[in-house]
Amino acid sequence: MSRWVGQRLKLLAVIAGLMILLQVLNSLSGQALNAWGLLPRHLSGLLGVLLAPWLHGSWAHLASNLPGLLVLGWLAMLGSIRAFLVASACIIVGSGLLVWLVGRPALHVGASGWLFGLWALLLVQAWFQRSWLNLLVAALVLFYYGGWLFGLLPRDGVSFEYHLAGAFCGGLYAYLSRPRRPA
């Protein structure tokens, strides 16, 4: 296995391992860790901006988020690990702050804002960078995850606010980090 592949697999394994470990602890504590989730417009909920993406309401919730995060994370790392980490930090913090400011008054947990951010990032990057690789990645993302567009619509029990905020932040990051062409 090449060093390039190995580094990316290690990072994804660390992310997955951390989420699984937190879910084990959360399950053993009766979901007590979810108290650290994001609660909009409460000062105590601000820490949830950073912690909510790592916490999940159930094993099914984690199982629905983790595969997409790993696939989209891998695709986002095709450029570089550093670019993935910076984009992820911007998506997590940006979407968390947006949900904290305008989200429903409910506890928000889960990696779906991060997922939707990576989803939008990969789609919007193709528009601005227009390399064959980015266009191929965007085509694959649309083919396999095009139905996620419906996740941006309100549904009971789902933090569509995180989906929408994540997609917005991922698209905005792709726009702000686009290559500048000389005038």
Side-chain angles (χ1 to χ4, degrees):
M1 174 175 19
S2 77
R3 186 171 164 238
W4 186 91
V5 171
Q7 290 174 330
R8 283 150 178 82
L9 287 177
K10 282 180 191 174
L11 178 56
L12 291 172
V14 167
I15 290 169
L18 184 57
M19 285 188 178
I20 291 168
L21 175 63
L22 286 170
Q23 187 57 36
V24 166
L25 296 173
N26 210 8
S27 294
L28 293 174
S29 70
Q31 305 301 334
L33 293 182
N34 285 350
W36 294 98
L38 193 155
L39 191 57
R41 293 169 302 286
H42 287 82
L43 285 179
S44 63
L46 268 176
L47 190 55
V49 167
L50 299 176
L51 299 180
W54 301 93
L55 303 169
H56 289 81
S58 67
W59 282 101
H61 186 202
L62 177 61
S64 70
N65 280 336
L66 196 50
L69 182 63
L70 296 176
V71 170
L72 295 175
W74 177 265
L75 292 172
M77 278 192 259
L78 289 175
S80 74
I81 292 175
R82 183 184 181 286
F84 164 76
L85 292 173
V86 172
S88 291
C90 291
I91 290 165
I92 289 170
V93 172
S95 64
L97 288 173
L98 284 172
V99 171
W100 189 82
L101 287 170
V102 300
R104 285 175 289 157
L107 191 64
H108 299 262
V109 294
S112 59
W114 190 3
L115 275 169
F116 275 82
L118 292 174
W119 176 75
L121 172 77
L122 293 167
L123 294 174
V124 176
Q125 268 182 341
W127 177 262
F128 288 113
Q129 294 181 8
R130 297 190 184 170
S131 72
W132 284 107
L133 177 61
N134 286 29
L135 292 170
L136 176 63
V137 166
L140 289 170
V141 168
L142 269 178
F143 181 76
Y144 286 106
Y145 297 107
W148 282 12
L149 191 61
F150 295 107
L152 300 174
L153 302 174
R155 282 191 343 220
D156 285 338
V158 174
S159 179
F160 80 94
E161 300 100 315
Y162 240 134
H163 298 180
L164 202 54
F168 173 78
C169 289
L172 180 63
Y173 183 82
Y175 170 76
L176 294 174
S177 65
R178 73 194 184 282
R180 303 292 195 269
R181 290 176 176 66

